[in-house]
């Protein structure tokens, strides 16, 4: 089984995890989540490039740069989920299997959070399981990539 290379993107305000609305987002920090993801990736025979930005264009640049470098993307677009056609188009353009994750259940929150521009171009969406959403998303992405018969990984 070959080593997978995956891009993990965290969108705006996720750098404040552990401090920002802990009743909604939990007490774990972004570093805690990234540490857990790295451990899990090692068990799954995958390597991760992990990046967080509060800037839409910077996230788009990272998505575009992933072409020919990574086999898949795990993304929590944060608020850009509901607003960014640019991130959606970048994911579509690179055509890498992408899993969208959210700590909270966006479908149980404010109405404006119910719509995702990312979901239609993603393999799937996992939300509402706190930090476990990332773990579940990484498992799902790796499983999806290893199932693709035309792309040996």
């Amino acid at each position: 089984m070959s080593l997978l290379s995956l891009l993990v993107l965290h969108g705006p305000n996720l750098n404040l995890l552990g401090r920002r609305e802990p009743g909604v987002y939990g007490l774990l920090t972004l570093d805690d989540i990234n540490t857990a993801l790295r451990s899990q990736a090692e068990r799954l025979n995958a390597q991760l490039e992990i990046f967080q930005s509060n800037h839409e264009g910077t996230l788009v640049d990272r998505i575009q740069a992933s072409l020919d470098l990574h086999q898949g993307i795990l993304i929590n677009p944060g608020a850009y989920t509901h607003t960014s056609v640019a991130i959606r188009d970048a994911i579509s353009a690179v055509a890498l299997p992408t899993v969208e994750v959210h700590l909270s259940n966006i479908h149980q929150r404010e109405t404006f959070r119910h719509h995702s521009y990312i979901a239609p171009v993603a393999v799937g969406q996992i939300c509402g399981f706190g930090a476990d959403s990332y773990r579940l998303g990484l498992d799902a992405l790796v499983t999806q990539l290893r199932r693709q018969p035309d792309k040996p990984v």
Side-chain angles (χ1 to χ4, degrees), residues 14-105:
L14 292 168
N15 55 309
L16 297 177
L17 287 178
R19 298 173 52 159
R20 174 185 178 219
E21 299 180 72
V24 174
Y25 300 108
L27 295 172
L28 293 179
T29 67
L30 190 58
D31 284 342
D32 295 333
I33 291 170
N34 289 338
T35 297
L37 283 173
R38 283 188 184 97
S39 294
Q40 180 184 2
E42 189 174 318
R43 289 189 301 275
L44 295 170
N45 201 30
Q47 63 183 14
L48 304 180
E49 175 188 344
I50 301 175
F51 183 75
Q52 186 277 329
S53 180
N54 295 319
H55 304 282
E56 182 180 35
T58 304
L59 293 167
V60 168
D61 289 343
R62 282 294 174 119
I63 293 165
Q64 290 179 359
S66 69
L67 195 59
D68 299 323
L69 184 60
H70 301 294
Q71 286 85 44
I73 300 171
L74 181 70
I75 185 170
N76 181 343
Y80 289 135
T81 303
H82 323 292
T83 63
S84 183
V85 174
I87 290 174
R88 179 248 180 254
D89 286 352
I91 291 169
S92 181
V94 299
L96 292 174
T98 299
V99 173
E100 175 186 352
V101 298
H102 297 281
L103 297 163
S104 67
N105 184 341

Side-chain angles (χ1 to χ4, degrees), residues 121-133:
V121 295
V123 171
Q125 178 192 77
I126 298 173
C127 64
F129 295 99
D132 284 338
S133 292

